[in-house]
């Protein structure tokens, strides 16, 4: 047994180059055992390559990857105690759902009865009992996703990797699956590492997350930290739809002459406040309205909760906010 | 723009086109039963089954038939092994000059048979290889490989690389992945490719003419037979046999790949 302090996954100065492209460029990363860890970033930011480095389908150009303390540089994918839920599920089309789920046990030589019983248990776990005889082609997208999940979990991996697991599902199903995945992870206590480009998904599901940009980690922390105190313009912009304020505006609003971020929900429309601007657009969002104002050269958005007075387009109004909400960034 | 019903003119045209293509085949069948043995007289003066018996008795039919079956079978086996290996390499790896090599693989079937035949004949002569059954087989294998390759490479491309990775991710070694995932998904495409290759080899004339020694395959025997007017309907009886041996595998291949499409696409 490893001590509880041993991280599930550790990257030390990991680099992966494809020709001249630095897909992963000097990443240091520690994922604690039992964490629900999200890798968030736009496409091409290196998050999927990092996932494939953990599963073993990519090898680092330099640096070291440890899984539960063991250096896995020379361990092929089939001998890592890590399983993946693939983006397109990658179910075996010629096998029944039951054989798909039992596959990992079959290749390990587990006897037929045991593995079929285990497959049935796993199908119950993902709420698909009795679907064993069907072929993947006869299932809906959401059901295939559950089969992929069951197939990965049957091996009792210590780390489960999920590559954009909810990307192909429609909104309602996606939200239901988010709750379910979260509950499943709590129940099983397995370390989940999942890749997504959806900041809402990352914020709502993960205990901690890494924001990727150009093969590097832009910021790592809990969702609250990353959301409230983004370290860079990129993070502020990508995680949520924050106002990113240039140095001169930050100073005009009472801060230092540095880049800063200000969350729209912390900006109030008032008769007087730190600054004044012209209303340029109003977008109704259901739970409130997003009011965009032009202050000098820059644009600042305010979220007006439903029930409060929304100013007219073209009106000149003041904005007010708690000075502590103005978050000064490093870059 | 898009109507379900075609105009009468179009239907008539299509019907005439199909008739032009297929009536001659029916005539071949018809003349296998004619009582007139020297010319193709229409309508046949009478119908008889005796030519089937005569064909059965003729000793000169059997060696070409066996030779053709033997050549087609060996060429197909060769093509299935080499064609599948090439397809696997081309579909799964990226390397410099890959597209050019893919074109080179397809070339034997794009080139006129006369060119392939001449090239092989001069190559065999230069290398001092005597013309034999094996030179015919090698000649046929050149285009059979292309048929198998084409079928296999299309299936390889459709098999999302995902399922092979998924197999490995779940703990399978290379052999297990091949046995449990790759082969079942590739099987029908290989069988279809093999059947088409067999059919193509069985009735090939041009390359055979250039690469054969003293032997004649069944199609060559038929060609020689048509020149001398003796027991002509026997040739038609043989034609029916050739038709069955080539058409049935093609039909089977068609159904195999059609069902295969559904299975392979089902994972998406």
């Amino acid at each position: 047994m490893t001590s509880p302090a041993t991280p599930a996954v550790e990257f030390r100065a990991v680099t992966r180059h494809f020709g001249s492209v630095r897909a992963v460029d000097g990443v240091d990363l520690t994922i604690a055992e039992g964490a629900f860890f999200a890798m968030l970033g736009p496409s091409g930011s290196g998050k999927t390559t990092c996932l494939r480095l953990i599963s073993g389908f990519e090898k680092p150009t330099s640096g070291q990857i440890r899984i539960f303390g063991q250096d896995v540089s020379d361990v092929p994918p089939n001998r890592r105690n890590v399983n993946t839920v693939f983006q397109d599920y990658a179910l075996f089309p010629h096998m029944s759902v039951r054989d798909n789920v039992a596959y990992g046990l079959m290749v390990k030589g587990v006897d037929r009865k045991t593995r079929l019983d285990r497959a049935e248990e796993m199908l119950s776990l993902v709420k698909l009992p009795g679907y064993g005889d069907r072929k993947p082609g006869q299932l809906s997208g959401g059901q295939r996703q559950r089969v992929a999940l069951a197939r990965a979990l049957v091996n009792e991996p210590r780390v489960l990797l999920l590559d954009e697991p909810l990307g192909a599902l429609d909104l309602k199903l996606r939200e239901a699956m988010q709750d379910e995945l979260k509950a499943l992870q709590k129940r099983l206590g397995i370390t989940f590492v999942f890749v997504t480009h959806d900041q809402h998904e990352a914020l709502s599901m993960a205990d901690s997350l890494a924001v990727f940009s150009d093969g590097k980690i832009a910021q790592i922390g809990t969702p609250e930290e990353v959301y409230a105190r983004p370290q860079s313009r990129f993070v502020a912009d990508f995680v949520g739809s924050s106002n990113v304020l240039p140095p001169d505006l930050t100073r005009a609003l009472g801060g230092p002459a540095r880049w800063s971020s200000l969350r729209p929900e912390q900006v109030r429309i008032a008769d007087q406040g730190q600054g004044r601007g012209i209303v340029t657009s109003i977008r109704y969002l259901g739970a409130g309205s997003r009011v965009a104002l032009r202050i000098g050269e820059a644009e600042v958005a305010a979220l007006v909760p439903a029930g409060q007075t929304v100013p007219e387009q073209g009106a000149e109004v003041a904005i007010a906010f708690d000075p502590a909400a103005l978050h000064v960034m490093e870059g | 723009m898009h109507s379900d019903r075609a105009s009468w003119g179009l239907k008539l045209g299509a019907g005439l086109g199909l008739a032009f293509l297929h009536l001659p085949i029916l005539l071949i069948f018809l003349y296998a039963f004619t009582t007139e043995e020297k010319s193709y007289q229409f309508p046949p003066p009478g119908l008889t089954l005796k030519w089937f018996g005569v064909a059965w008795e003729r000793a000169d039919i059997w060696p070409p038939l066996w030779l053709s079956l033997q050549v087609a079978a060996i060429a197909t086996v060769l093509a299935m092994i080499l064609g599948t290996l090439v397809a696997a390499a081309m579909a799964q790896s990226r390397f410099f000059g890959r597209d050019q090599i893919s074109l080179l693989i397809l070339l034997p079937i794009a080139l006129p048979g006369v060119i392939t035949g001449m090239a092989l004949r001069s190559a065999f002569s230069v290398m001092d290889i005597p013309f034999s059954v094996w030179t015919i087989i090698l000649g046929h294998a050149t285009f059979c490989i292309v048929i198998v390759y084409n079928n296999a490479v299309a299936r390889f491309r459709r098999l999302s690389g995902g399922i092979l990775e998924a197999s490995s991710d779940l703990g399978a070694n290379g052999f297990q992945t091949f046995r449990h995932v790759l082969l079942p998904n590739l099987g029908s495409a290989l069988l279809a490719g093999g059947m088409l290759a067999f059919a193509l080899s069985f009735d090939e004339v041009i390359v055979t003419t250039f690469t054969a020694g003293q032997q004649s395959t069944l199609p060559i025997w038929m060609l020689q037979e048509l020149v001398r007017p003796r027991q002509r309907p026997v040739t038609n009886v043989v034609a029916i046999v050739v038709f069955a041996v080539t058409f049935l595998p093609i039909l089977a291949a068609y159904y195999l790949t059609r069902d295969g499409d559904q299975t392979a696409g089902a994972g998406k």
Side-chain angles (χ1 to χ4, degrees), chain B:
Chain B
M1 280 306 289
H2 192 90
S3 78
D4 288 339
R5 283 185 166 275
S7 71
W8 279 107
L10 192 61
K11 280 183 181 168
L12 189 72
L16 283 175
L18 282 174
F20 177 75
L21 285 173
H22 294 112
L23 273 183
I25 298 176
L26 288 180
L27 282 179
I28 288 195
F29 289 175
L30 179 66
Y31 282 116
F33 300 95
T34 182
T35 47
E36 164 61 54
E37 68 168 286
K38 292 213 169 46
S39 66
Y40 288 138
Q41 187 188 93
F42 192 83
L47 296 175
T48 170
L49 283 174
K50 77 166 182 177
W51 300 116
F52 284 84
V54 173
W56 185 264
E57 299 293 329
R58 285 261 300 260
D60 61 328
I61 295 179
W62 295 105
L65 178 62
W66 284 128
L67 182 67
S68 277
L69 287 173
Q70 194 187 345
V71 165
I74 300 176
T76 302
V77 170
L78 267 179
M80 281 178 76
I81 297 169
L82 296 176
T84 311
L85 290 176
V86 173
M90 299 298 281
Q92 309 210 301
S93 51
R94 303 264 169 280
F95 53 86
F96 177 74
R98 181 172 162 272
D99 295 341
Q100 288 74 14
I101 289 181
S102 145
L103 190 68
L104 284 179
I105 294 170
L106 294 177
L107 210 55
I109 209 149
L111 280 179
V114 188
I115 307 288
T116 312
M118 273 176 66
L120 284 168
R121 188 170 186 88
S122 45
F124 289 145
S125 304
V126 167
M127 288 186 280
D128 269 334
I129 299 172
F131 294 101
S132 67
V133 181
W134 288 102
T135 50
I136 305 178
I137 290 172
L138 281 180
H140 285 199
T142 57
F143 56 81
C144 287
I145 287 175
V146 183
I147 302 291
V148 175
Y149 167 81
N150 264 344
N151 271 274
V153 85
R155 186 64 62 86
F156 266 120
R157 285 206 193 103
R158 261 206 319 272
L159 278 181
S160 48
I163 64 171
L164 302 182
E165 280 194 353
S167 171
S168 169
D169 186 78
L170 292 165
N173 59 34
F175 175 74
Q176 287 171 320
T177 299
F178 175 78
R179 158 85 183 74
H180 297 296
V181 177
L182 189 55
L183 204 57
N185 280 290
L186 212 55
S188 61
L190 284 187
L191 198 57
M195 285 178 161
L196 285 175
F198 184 90
L200 207 64
S201 163
F202 190 77
D203 71 353
E204 213 284 336
V205 175
I206 303 171
V207 174
T208 317
T209 319
F210 281 90
T211 53
Q214 301 304 314
Q215 312 83 351
S216 45
T217 58
L218 200 61
I220 298 205
W221 176 88
M222 286 170 71
L223 205 57
Q224 291 161 350
E225 220 31 41
L226 283 179
V227 187
R228 35 192 144 100
R230 182 176 67 101
Q231 296 188 325
R232 269 202 163 158
V234 169
T235 323
N236 291 56
V237 170
V238 175
I240 292 178
V241 173
V242 173
F243 178 83
V245 173
T246 56
F247 185 70
L248 294 180
I250 289 173
L251 203 65
Y254 170 73
Y255 281 106
L256 275 175
T257 40
R258 202 185 57 167
D259 290 351
D261 283 351
Q262 289 164 356
T263 358
K268 273 284 162 191

Side-chain angles (χ1 to χ4, degrees), chain A:
Chain A
M1 279 306 288
T2 45
S3 70
T6 311
V9 179
E10 230 182 328
F11 277 44
R12 286 187 192 163
V14 170
T15 302
R16 178 69 174 100
H17 295 174
F18 296 106
S20 61
V21 181
R22 291 158 176 259
V24 174
D25 193 7
V27 165
D28 285 293
L29 182 65
T30 304
I31 302 173
E33 179 169 13
F36 200 129
F37 191 89
M39 296 187 182
L40 175 66
S43 56
S45 60
K47 56 190 194 306
T48 299
T49 308
C50 277
L51 199 76
R52 292 173 62 82
L53 284 163
I54 303 175
S55 58
F57 292 115
E58 298 292 348
K59 285 197 159 196
T61 309
S62 67
Q64 198 186 48
I65 297 170
R66 289 166 174 271
I67 297 177
F68 285 100
Q70 185 203 1
D71 181 0
V72 292
S73 306
D74 297 317
V75 182
N78 56 327
R79 295 221 304 273
R80 295 187 184 195
N81 198 357
V82 167
N83 288 111
T84 309
V85 175
F86 291 89
Q87 187 172 11
D88 60 355
Y89 315 138
L91 299 178
F92 306 125
H94 59 293
M95 290 183 197
S96 68
V97 165
R98 182 179 297 111
D99 288 343
N100 261 281
V101 177
Y103 188 82
L105 300 177
M106 182 194 71
V107 297
K108 282 191 192 73
V110 174
D111 70 273
R112 189 176 165 76
K113 171 143 181 24
T114 312
R115 65 178 193 247
L116 293 186
D117 287 350
R118 287 280 295 145
E120 203 52 57
E121 268 173 50
M122 283 298 136
L123 284 174
S124 302
L125 183 73
V126 298
K127 299 181 182 164
L128 283 177
Y131 278 71
D133 290 326
R134 305 204 188 178
K135 284 282 180 73
Q138 295 168 296
L139 302 180
S140 70
Q143 290 169 334
R144 281 181 213 175
Q145 222 252 325
R146 288 158 191 269
V147 175
L149 197 58
R151 185 179 67 170
L153 288 172
V154 82
N155 283 338
E156 300 177 338
R158 297 187 73 182
V159 180
L160 183 74
L161 308 175
L162 303 109
D163 187 6
E164 301 263 0
L166 309 175
L169 306 181
D170 61 60
L171 184 66
K172 214 172 164 70
L173 199 55
R174 194 151 68 206
E175 286 174 347
M177 276 309 286
Q178 284 180 9
D179 295 341
E180 237 176 87
L181 274 179
K182 186 81 190 149
L184 196 64
Q185 192 264 340
K186 279 226 165 68
R187 199 171 132 197
L188 300 171
I190 297 174
T191 310
F192 275 32
V193 179
F194 88 109
V195 155
T196 180
H197 63 266
D198 182 332
Q199 62 272 29
H200 299 297
E201 206 168 279
L203 292 173
S204 68
M205 291 170 77
D207 317 322
S208 56
L209 60 99
V211 184
F212 281 77
S213 167
D214 293 327
K216 296 189 173 75
I217 292 183
Q219 189 169 356
I220 192 162
T222 65
E224 294 79 15
E225 281 166 0
V226 173
Y227 184 78
R229 291 189 294 282
Q231 280 171 3
S232 64
R233 270 178 277 164
F234 172 81
V235 176
D237 201 37
F238 190 73
V239 180
S241 32
S242 193
N243 293 306
V244 177
L245 310 178
D248 53 340
L249 183 60
T250 307
R251 198 171 49 190
L253 293 177
R258 300 255 300 276
W259 285 89
S260 67
S261 77
L262 184 60
R263 293 286 161 195
E265 64 271 25
Q266 288 166 319
V267 180
R268 281 174 290 118
I269 306 282
D271 293 332
Q272 41 184 293
Q274 285 98 325
R276 297 189 74 79
I278 310 284
V279 177
T280 54
S281 74
I282 297 163
R283 193 143 50 95
Y284 180 64
L285 300 173
S289 298
R290 187 184 164 91
V291 178
L293 303 134
R294 205 177 60 239
I295 302 179
E297 297 290 295
E299 189 165 271
V300 175
L303 196 69
V304 179
Q308 292 188 14
T309 321
V310 177
E312 304 231 331
Q313 188 151 345
E316 193 189 313
V317 294
I319 55 162
F321 54 88
D322 177 358
L326 190 68
H327 171 72
V328 178
M329 297 183 292
E330 286 162 15

